[in-house]
Amino acid sequence: MKTHLMKTHLMVGGGAGFAGDRIDAAVAVARDLAAHSGPRFLIFETLAERTLALSQDPAAREAREHMMLRRLREVLPVCLDAGVRIVGNFGSWNPQQTARKIHTLSRELGCRQPRVAVVIGDDLLSHQTPDDILNLSVDATGTANDTLIAANVYLGAFPIAQALDQGADIVVTGRVADPSLVLGPMISALALQETDWDALACGTLAGHLIECGAQVCGGYFADPGLKEVPDLAWVGFPIVEITDTLECLVRKPEDTGGRIDRHTVTEQLLYEIHDPAAYLTPDVVLDISQVGVTDLGDNRVLVSQARGLPRPDTLKATLCFDAGWIGEAEISYAGPNARARALLAIDIIRSRGTRLYPDMPLRCDLIGVLSAFSSAEGITQTNDDQGTEPLSNPDGANDVRVRVATSESDRSRVEALLGEVEALYTTGPAGGGGVRTSVQRRITTASASIPRDYVTTQVLMFGQATGE
């Protein structure tokens, strides 16, 4: 195929791949889009399952909202001046409040007041009881003592397209499927219908390629000595151009680090795909089994031949449960025989924990020694002669950190058990120091399948003059 004959119908840039993603890389994407003409969109994917769970905590919500405003502060003037429209799923707990804060931020920056649209409908608990939701999926419940505190369904792309069709400069959503952030602009720009399966598949593929930010540009790809990535400290974020031939041209802004080639794109293409011939999304079942990946050089890759099948009858939802409290405590041992002293500290904690808190789970680790690939209990036996401790750390290690973790519905009991670690200052092995403790709400998640007729979406417009 002669690529110079292809015409770009729209450009979509990735501004974030998760809530804590780097901010400056999005500015380069916004400026690149601003230098072009035609339909252009900057998307922010900031709402993973982990973020949904964290957003149940007020302090975490405030931190995420602050990060969102920092992110928009850098790109709003560029995007509003150049007609680059923004779509982001940064409204997980209160999309309307997010819209108002965007208007306030625009005034602070001296920008023109944008039309902000809010897509609602993902919050199932706003119109269903916890029991109704749990009855929909027998494998989606928590433990007997857990309480369902949030249930968010993955919405599709058409409400986003509706918001853009109504003139929104910025679209704020709650939980939507990640690729829908790109597919929504494509539906609006090309006036796609719900049964245009191959076109919907193309947009979904485009969204899947850039939804994780710098991953497709080498960020998650890098592995020194095996998969080298240049100038990773300043890795660029991706831009996808969707052509009139329903192909996706993936590139990144000039003068940014990283790499885009057949290898990085192929790895991202397969990322989190359960079945390459049937990747389920709210809008279409994507078939990438015949997709072609053509390296055009100069950090440009063409991806083609996505195929679409009719969308599934159900929608995925993430359920969040209040599972009590989780606590962690750490203490260090340094100097000669440090490892042996650390293991003795663990023996002490396990002995006292078993007697004083027999119903509480307890995990003990030597961090960096056996904390990544081990059982749920961590180090359970400190007698090397029994052959049950496959430590990779040499006996002569002179700097070892002990980590102790537990969870319980009663915060005071979690704090009491962690107090056993602090008590090691004078009651445990010699030379313990640097105790740190942390207790936080424990939120667990599960997935459920929700019938489509349980879900109703709505687009609310917040006008330029009043912000309402």
Side-chain angles (χ1 to χ4, degrees), residues 12-15 24-34 41-42 236-239 253 256:
V12 187
D24 58 296
V27 178
V29 174
R31 289 172 177 165
D32 184 297
L33 295 174
F41 305 85
L42 180 62
F237 280 12
I239 297 170
T256 60

Side-chain angles (χ1 to χ4, degrees), residues 340-408:
R341 286 182 282 126
L343 291 173
L344 177 55
I346 287 176
D347 270 350
I348 294 169
I349 294 298
R350 284 203 176 279
S351 178
R352 291 183 61 80
T354 299
R355 180 180 298 183
L356 299 176
Y357 310 95
D359 58 335
M360 293 177 64
L362 182 62
R363 176 175 179 123
C364 300
D365 293 305
L366 292 185
I367 294 199
V369 178
L370 193 64
S371 56
F373 300 103
S374 65
S375 68
E377 294 81 25
I379 292 178
T380 58
Q381 176 65 47
T382 61
N383 187 345
D384 290 342
D385 293 338
Q386 296 185 22
T388 57
E389 188 195 354
L391 294 180
S392 59
N393 206 34
D395 289 343
N398 59 7
D399 189 345
V400 180
R401 191 149 177 88
V402 172
R403 173 186 176 271
V404 174
T406 187
S407 62
E408 232 275 343

Side-chain angles (χ1 to χ4, degrees), residues 133-148:
I133 295 169
L134 294 177
N135 287 336
L136 294 175
S137 181
V138 295
D139 62 347
T141 59
T143 64
N145 296 323
D146 294 348
T147 301
L148 181 67

